[in-house]
Amino acid sequence: MIKLYLKQAWALLRQNPLFSGLYIAGTGLAIAMTMIVAMIYYVKLAPVYPEVNRSRTLYLENAQFTDGNSTWQSCLSYTALQDWALRFENVETISAQYASWQFTENAYIQPADRSGDFRPQIKMVDPAFFRIYAFRFLEGNPFTDSDLQSGIRTAVITDDLARRLFGSAEGAVGKFFSLSYVQYRVCGVVRGGSYLTPRSYAQVYLPYTVDPGYRYPQGSGLFPYLGAFSLTFLVKDDAQAKALQAEVKDVTRRLNLEHKGQWEMLLWEQPRTHTLSVFQEWPAQEFSFWAKVRYFGLMLLVLLLVPALNLSGMIASRMESRLSEMGVRKSFGAGRSKLLGQVMWENLLLTLLGGLLGLAIAWLAIYAGREWLFFLLDDYAEAVPEGANAYVSGEMLFAPLVFLCAFVLCVLLNMLSALLPAWMSLRKPIVYSLYEHR
């Protein structure tokens, strides 16, 4: 029966090309706008290379210290790492990343071919960083704990940077490049990620100990634990994540009691899960789950309901022109539910065609606007730095969840736009429907 309905729908589509074209185009635009939003958050939340452990990753990125007279906010110092921050028990791996203005904002590579200095994206990390993020090493290995302790000038670079510096990613291990006129030896080459995965993205990964100031606390020296280190935690499951959060709160309470009258440390609700960090711009920001649900519910309502109302008017007009057909079928015993099912299946075919069009439009828009579209919904939008690679990979676009989301949207839009006008039209008596033939 469904096969027959689809054949009839295809015949009607060919008989009414204008209606079908407008319906498919309207559906496609509605699906495209909704899918763009869905893809943006899919890329931010889904386990994509190299951030495949997002569901088990937590972050501690900010800390606030106050002594009653002054308040400083940054993150943790190297002293904090040594005293307590790297000693949590409810965790599989802890990685410390160091923010150095000298390296991340003011370091330039001097290529051997003298084609001109350029500023790469740099992260200053420890070996544990490569155990949390699943980089694929094309050559070599990450630097070791011994390299970190000794402060040796070694680096892991991406394959695109290796090709730019040495002409090929093969054979790059063991070679040297100049960064701020200091020579660094390449110890490993990884398949580069995308700037759209900002937690892990860089072109050069250095041991943070190459910066001579990594040991010194920030600020006026009043707060020994105020520094430039952020922490990334990898846990086994949600239960261990909750245990880690409780452990961090207990350590915070203990430290504040120990230094009562001197200073107080505030870590808010950290470490935060990856999902929370996407929707909460910074740890001190108030976050309401239901406020976000209302926000996205309203967005979905606008993106789907307004087109559904327009399509519903078109379907109502079309149903008026088919009243005589429905009246004849009723007179031969066709029930209202059977006719309603036929109309719904006919419109579902058009909606699915519109959904495919919308998905294609969404893919094109995502690819063309990848350097700004993914930051459009952020509270503080930022531009992609010059030279950064903001590519959209196949796993970001062609994920099963994306197709499932598109199909659900098609069904939902079909129900919103076709059900009411079809039901109202089929409620009319047989005599009235046959009279319309005149």
Side-chain angles (χ1 to χ4, degrees):
M1 187 62 69
I2 294 175
K3 186 177 180 180
L4 178 61
Y5 289 163
L6 294 178
K7 284 184 177 180
Q8 292 174 343
W10 183 254
L12 289 171
L13 184 150
R14 298 179 64 183
Q15 291 172 10
N16 301 278
L18 179 60
F19 171 85
S20 302
L22 291 175
Y23 191 98
I24 291 172
T27 303
L29 290 176
I31 296 294
M33 296 298 295
T34 311
M35 286 304 303
I36 287 172
V37 176
M39 287 182 185
I40 289 173
Y41 282 100
Y42 178 82
V43 171
K44 291 176 179 289
L45 296 171
V48 295
Y49 176 87
E51 300 180 9
V52 298
N53 295 316
R54 282 174 167 176
S55 63
R56 301 192 294 125
T57 306
L58 294 90
Y59 311 103
L60 198 165
E61 303 166 290
N62 293 93
Q64 178 178 293
F65 294 84
T66 181
D67 60 0
N69 297 317
S70 59
T71 299
W72 290 74
Q73 184 171 319
S74 183
C75 202
L76 301 176
S77 66
Y78 182 74
T79 303
L81 301 189
Q82 299 301 303
D83 286 355
W84 54 272
L86 294 180
R87 298 183 180 182
F88 294 111
E89 297 179 356
N90 294 289
V91 66
E92 288 190 347
T93 305
I94 306 176
S95 172
Q97 296 98 51
Y98 180 65
S100 170
W101 179 85
Q102 177 184 350
F103 282 86
T104 58
E105 299 294 334
N106 201 34
Y108 288 80
I109 286 179
Q110 295 75 45
D113 59 5
R114 299 185 180 181
S115 57
D117 294 6
F118 63 92
R119 183 161 66 90
Q121 298 297 305
I122 298 175
K123 280 194 184 302
M124 308 193 70
V125 300
D126 56 12
F129 181 85
F130 299 99
R131 295 195 290 272
I132 294 178
Y133 298 108
F135 284 99
R136 178 188 171 195
F137 275 82
L138 305 178
E139 282 193 341
N141 296 287
F143 46 81
T144 64
D145 289 320
S146 298
D147 296 334
L148 181 72
Q149 295 300 323
S150 62
I152 190 171
R153 293 188 177 93
T154 187
V156 173
I157 65 174
T158 58
D159 54 344
D160 57 331
L161 181 62
R163 284 189 290 270
R164 182 171 181 178
L165 293 177
F166 309 119
S168 173
E170 298 180 0
V173 172
K175 293 184 178 180
F176 289 82
F177 66 94
S178 174
L179 178 66
S180 297
Y181 300 97
V182 176
Q183 294 294 310
Y184 288 80
R185 185 182 67 86
V186 177
C187 66
V189 178
V190 297
R191 180 166 74 87
S194 171
Y195 189 78
L196 304 179
T197 55
R199 299 285 183 181
S200 60
Y201 179 76
Q203 295 164 307
V204 179
Y205 301 89
L206 301 175
Y208 60 73
T209 50
V210 300
D211 186 334
Y214 77 95
R215 291 179 178 271
Y216 305 124
Q218 289 185 345
S220 59
L222 295 175
F223 310 108
Y225 292 155
L226 179 70
F229 283 94
S230 59
L231 299 177
T232 302
F233 303 90
L234 183 66
V235 297
K236 181 173 60 177
D237 50 29
D238 290 341
Q240 192 175 48
K242 292 179 181 178
L244 173 63
Q245 291 168 336
E247 188 178 2
V248 171
K249 286 184 178 180
D250 184 66
V251 169
T252 303
R253 179 190 57 80
R254 178 176 56 79
L255 289 173
N256 287 335
L257 286 175
E258 183 179 339
H259 298 278
K260 188 174 182 179
Q262 299 176 327
W263 50 262
E264 182 181 15
M265 180 177 69
L266 181 62
L267 298 181
W268 299 284
E269 296 300 318
Q270 298 181 96
R272 300 183 296 168
T273 63
H274 179 82
T275 301
L276 180 59
S277 70
V278 169
F279 296 108
Q280 186 184 36
E281 196 69 25
W282 62 89
Q285 183 184 35
E286 292 186 6
F287 176 79
S288 171
F289 172 78
W290 291 112
K292 285 295 180 182
V293 170
R294 290 193 298 270
Y295 170 76
F296 286 108
L298 180 61
M299 183 185 298
L300 186 63
L301 191 66
V302 171
L303 292 176
L304 288 183
L305 186 59
V306 174
L309 291 175
N310 294 327
L311 295 174
S312 182
M314 294 176 60
I315 294 171
S317 176
R318 186 185 186 190
M319 289 301 299
E320 286 294 323
S321 67
R322 297 180 63 188
L323 280 177
S324 58
E325 173 197 340
M326 297 301 171
V328 171
R329 294 196 61 185
K330 283 182 181 180
S331 66
F332 280 94
R336 188 182 300 171
S337 59
K338 188 174 182 179
L339 293 175
L340 181 63
Q342 177 188 345
V343 174
M344 295 301 293
W345 277 104
E346 290 172 359
N347 286 281
L348 181 59
L349 174 63
L350 294 176
T351 308
L352 289 175
L353 292 175
L356 291 176
L357 175 64
L359 199 56
I361 293 173
W363 282 336
L364 290 174
I366 287 289
Y367 180 78
R370 60 191 180 278
E371 294 190 354
W372 59 271
L373 198 57
F374 283 92
F375 310 101
L376 190 63
L377 300 177
D378 293 348
D379 291 341
Y380 299 96
E382 61 179 27
V384 176
E386 183 179 357
N389 191 357
Y391 73 88
V392 181
S393 65
E395 65 176 330
M396 295 177 181
L397 292 180
F398 302 105
L401 187 60
V402 172
F403 287 98
L404 178 62
C405 182
F407 178 76
V408 170
L409 289 174
C410 287
V411 174
L412 182 60
L413 189 60
N414 180 57
M415 295 292 291
L416 289 173
S417 61
L419 184 59
L420 183 60
W423 176 257
M424 294 298 293
S425 178
L426 292 172
R427 287 184 62 191
K428 295 178 180 178
I430 296 177
V431 174
Y432 178 83
S433 300
L434 293 174
Y435 180 77
E436 285 297 304
H437 186 62
R438 298 175 58 189

